[in-house]
Amino acid sequence: MLDATARHHPYYPRDLVLNHYVTNTNSVALTLVYVSLAFITIVFLASALAYPRRHSTLQSPGDRLVFFWLILNGFLHLVFEGYFGINHATLAADQSPIGQVWKEYALSDSRYLSSDTFVLITERITILVWGPLALYGAWSLYHNLPSRHIAQLMLSLGHIYGCVLYYFTSIVEDSPHCDPDPYYYYFYFWFFNVFWLIVPVILMTSSIKALKRAMASFNDAEQFITETHFKHN
């Protein structure tokens, strides 16, 4: 039988103890409005930064989309997930707009409200490593630096690795932290996160091809220099 501490919240598992939980004051619709406004703000910011200028090399639509993706990741990792990293211990009672967004998402994964060790460590790595790397990737892409593909490859590998672990640490336990309602499980848990599997695979493939071309060109140039040297000697 569930005790009183486990009955006053909507999260799974139902015996999860969240003594400090406070119900959201914002409706789900308003919470989604906040998310939408944040997304639109990032779109405008990335679009403004990506607008062609003399010192920018973002000429193709593909590069602009990648630039937007990197800016989006920088914002999410440093601001949204950064908020979690700082306030995870009190998030269940948080009534700020960001806190209420986290509590809404936690219906699909209550580990975010219980300071789960795996989630906490993964998020801290994301905040401290992947967030700055995403912004560096955007900056290097903007200036077409050779390091853009190295940053893009590292970030993509990190996203894929983290996302696979995130999914499977839940799935192998039969997802006890997820509300079984299909809306929360498939839309919140799967749909909102699967982009960090799909897009990184695309970007990683692109970076690997670019690095292979660069190495092939380097090898050709090195071979040409060697052959020229032998001819002159």
Side-chain angles (χ1 to χ4, degrees):
M1 184 174 179
L2 300 179
D3 59 30
T5 60
R7 284 199 299 264
H8 79 300
H9 66 72
Y11 302 100
Y12 284 78
R14 296 304 296 135
D15 59 353
L16 177 66
V17 176
L18 295 172
N19 291 325
H20 57 302
Y21 171 74
V22 177
T23 304
N24 277 357
T25 56
N26 294 337
S27 65
V28 175
L30 183 57
T31 300
L32 293 177
V33 166
Y34 283 134
V35 173
S36 300
L37 288 175
F39 183 78
I40 292 170
T41 300
I42 297 169
V43 170
F44 276 109
L45 174 63
S47 299
L49 291 173
Y51 188 80
R53 295 180 177 86
R54 285 184 300 175
H55 57 284
S56 169
T57 59
L58 298 175
Q59 301 300 326
S60 71
D63 280 348
R64 290 175 193 161
L65 285 174
V66 174
F67 182 78
F68 165 72
W69 171 257
L70 295 171
I71 292 293
L72 174 66
N73 276 271
F75 174 84
L76 289 176
H77 296 337
L78 294 174
V79 179
F80 187 63
E81 290 168 278
Y83 188 90
F84 165 81
I86 295 171
N87 300 285
H88 66 91
T90 58
L91 202 58
D94 199 319
Q95 295 293 64
S96 68
I98 295 181
Q100 294 196 50
V101 170
W102 270 116
K103 285 195 287 181
E104 178 64 22
Y105 175 76
L107 289 167
S108 73
D109 191 349
S110 65
R111 291 180 294 179
Y112 280 93
L113 297 187
S114 61
S115 296
D116 176 82
T117 301
F118 166 75
V119 169
L120 193 56
I121 292 174
T122 301
E123 288 293 349
R124 284 176 174 170
I125 293 172
T126 299
I127 296 161
L128 297 174
V129 180
W130 307 137
L133 186 60
L135 294 183
Y136 174 77
W139 181 78
S140 61
L141 171 60
Y142 187 85
H143 295 286
N144 197 29
L145 300 179
S147 58
R148 61 162 286 195
H149 284 292
I150 297 174
Q152 186 172 295
L153 180 59
M154 291 174 61
L155 182 65
S156 297
L157 281 171
H159 280 155
I160 293 169
Y161 183 68
C163 205
V164 168
L165 286 179
Y166 176 69
Y167 275 136
F168 279 94
T169 52
S170 179
I171 292 171
V172 295
E173 296 180 342
D174 200 25
S175 303
H177 311 285
C178 301
D179 189 318
D181 187 309
Y183 174 76
Y184 297 115
Y185 185 68
Y186 292 106
F187 186 54
Y188 282 18
F189 183 70
W190 278 99
F191 178 76
F192 280 151
N193 292 291
V194 76
F195 293 102
W196 277 265
L197 280 176
I198 297 172
V199 176
V201 167
I202 296 171
L203 296 184
M204 185 173 66
T205 302
S206 173
S207 292
I208 289 173
K209 289 180 179 179
L211 292 171
K212 285 178 66 177
R213 288 194 299 269
M215 287 303 300
S217 297
F218 175 80
N219 290 337
D220 289 343
E222 191 175 50
Q223 184 177 359
F224 175 77
I225 292 172
T226 302
E227 291 174 353
T228 303
H229 175 75
F230 279 123
K231 285 181 181 179
H232 286 289
N233 289 281

